Amino acid sequence: MSELVFFSGTMDCGKSTLALQIEHNRTARGLQGLIFTRDDRAGEGKLSSRLGLVTDAVEAGPGLDLYGYVVDQLSRGGRVDYVIVDEAQFLLPGQIDQLARIVDDLELDVFSFGITTDFRTRLFPGSQRLIELADRLETLQVEAMCWCGARATHNARTVGGEMVVEGEQVVVGDVAGSVAEVGYEVLCRRHHRKRMTSAAARAAALSPDVLPVTGT
């Protein structure tokens, strides 16, 4: 029986890598899938992993009817055995409803991947709708780690190297940009609450104020 599955986790936990693995496994069995993505780090119409793997995908912009796109492919004689959606947190709630319709009306499995909360610890609307509608929720088992070594549970946004908690919900960045750019880092809840990124921790460790004072 077809399912709508939501694989979720923080950044760096292997979501896109798993999406690519699912695509590889099914292609190797002679199946043909359709891949949607949104605002991937590799650019428009790409599904990429931080491990360097990349494949072509359909850019799921806010005006794209996902259900209609799949129906159009089928009506043109194309073959679609399953659907993969990466960066699903960026989709509109209505587009998540379209994914559910693909499962129910077309009887296709839909594998969606995304992070649940933004840098402010608020649910993305797309992720919230997936939680409400998905037949199955899966938390990725590869745990991302905070700089302190604890399990990372929160996504932090940095601007100019400093953590911010205000701004637009969707701003594309990466973990490898320069300090002048928008970047992201995964943190444990304690250090997210304290706004203590790895850069801030290094700066604090090097500050003369925290060095031991030797007596004469």
Side-chain angles (χ1 to χ4, degrees), residues 99-153:
L99 295 180
R101 189 178 179 191
I102 290 171
V103 175
D104 296 339
D105 294 358
L106 304 180
E107 298 184 349
L108 299 177
D109 284 320
V110 174
F111 306 99
S112 59
F113 301 80
I115 58 179
T116 52
T117 58
D118 62 18
F119 69 104
R120 304 165 301 180
T121 70
R122 299 291 188 269
L123 282 170
F124 281 99
S127 297
Q128 178 177 335
R129 192 62 179 146
L130 273 165
I131 292 170
E132 293 166 346
L133 291 183
D135 298 295
R136 182 157 50 96
L137 303 174
E138 297 282 352
T139 301
L140 272 292
Q141 297 303 308
V142 178
E143 294 184 349
M145 295 180 66
C146 178
W147 61 264
C148 69
R151 177 173 175 265
T153 54

Side-chain angles (χ1 to χ4, degrees), residues 22-32 79 81-82:
I22 287 176
E23 165 69 5
H24 170 76
N25 289 352
R26 280 160 175 72
T27 299
R29 298 298 181 269
L31 301 176
Q32 295 182 26
R79 179 178 172 184
D81 296 311
Y82 59 92

Side-chain angles (χ1 to χ4, degrees), residues 4 37 42-43 46 53 55 58 65 74 78 85 95-96 105 113-114 119 123 142 150 175 182 188 190 193 216:
L4 172 57
T37 190
K46 298 293 182 182
L53 304 173
T55 192
V58 177
D65 181 336
L74 294 171
V85 185
Q95 290 176 309
I96 305 302
D105 294 358
F113 301 80
F119 69 104
L123 282 170
V142 178
V175 297
V182 174
C188 64
R190 179 163 65 100
R193 288 179 53 245
T216 55

Side-chain angles (χ1 to χ4, degrees), residues 36-39 44 58-70 90-96 98:
F36 294 105
T37 190
R38 174 80 181 275
D39 293 337
E44 184 173 333
V58 177
E59 186 72 15
L64 182 65
D65 181 336
L66 306 183
Y67 176 81
Y69 189 95
V70 176
F90 295 144
L91 298 185
L92 299 176
Q95 290 176 309
I96 305 302
Q98 293 161 13

